[in-house]
Each structure stands twice: as C-alpha cells, then as structure tokens.
Amino acid sequence: MGIVIPENMGKDGQFWQFNAEFWGLQKKYINGDENGERTDAYWEEVINATSELAKKFKFRYAKNMIIAFLNELEARDKDEKIAAGQTQGQA
C-alpha cells in the first residue's frame, strides 16, 4: 500500500479517505484547542491523532503530509509565543 495509484484515488480509495480524514484533523487542530491554546493536553491529543492517522494510512504521501502539518503546528506555536513575548522555559 506504499504507492498511490489511480485505482486507489477514487472516493472509496485510500488516497481520498486519507485526505478527508486529514482535512478533519487540520480543522480540529490548526488553531490550537477549543480555547485557541496549545497546552500539553492539546499536544498530546495532536500526537495521538496524527499517530493513529499514520498507522491507518501507510503510504509516503500521508506520512509527508502529517510531518508537514506537525511542522506547521510547531511553527505557529513558536510564532505565537514570540508574539506574546514568551521565550522557551517561560509560561
């Protein structure tokens, strides 16, 4: 299941299913938790959700998209902390 081919790109295919689930993950986590914060509980939930998605969809595209999403969340977290005047180690 490592390669996305036309046969698995239709609505019932793995590629389609991954993108649908990935979109839901993005909507849920892109701006932090329900309060717009990135707490330890938020990060634990993000890691659990992305790990489950990676286990379910074991093709390279899925892995790369998940890694890119995690990198984006980390960058947003860093930018938000800078904007708030926080440095690492300070709350």
Side-chain angles (χ1 to χ4, degrees):
M1 182 182 6
I3 299 174
V4 176
I5 55 175
E7 289 79 27
N8 62 13
M9 289 185 74
K11 276 194 169 188
D12 295 326
Q14 289 283 319
F15 186 76
W16 180 280
Q17 290 300 315
F18 168 75
N19 280 297
E21 290 188 36
F22 185 63
W23 172 243
L25 190 92
Q26 289 175 303
K27 287 191 321 184
K28 184 172 183 176
Y29 297 113
I30 194 70
N31 292 313
D33 63 14
E34 61 275 354
N35 298 317
E37 299 174 352
R38 298 181 203 280
T39 63
D40 288 344
Y42 161 83
W43 284 112
E44 186 174 329
E45 194 174 319
V46 167
I47 296 303
N48 289 338
T50 54
S51 294
E52 287 302 312
L53 196 63
K55 288 177 190 172
K56 184 174 182 180
F57 299 100
K58 297 179 181 180
F59 49 91
R60 184 177 50 224
Y61 172 81
K63 176 183 172 185
N64 290 339
M65 293 299 290
I66 291 166
I67 291 169
F69 181 62
L70 291 170
N71 288 337
E72 176 62 19
L73 294 180
E74 288 180 319
R76 285 173 179 245
D77 185 51
K78 181 179 177 183
D79 291 346
E80 290 162 1
K81 286 178 178 172
I82 291 169
Q86 296 177 349
T87 59
Q88 196 163 25
Q90 295 178 341

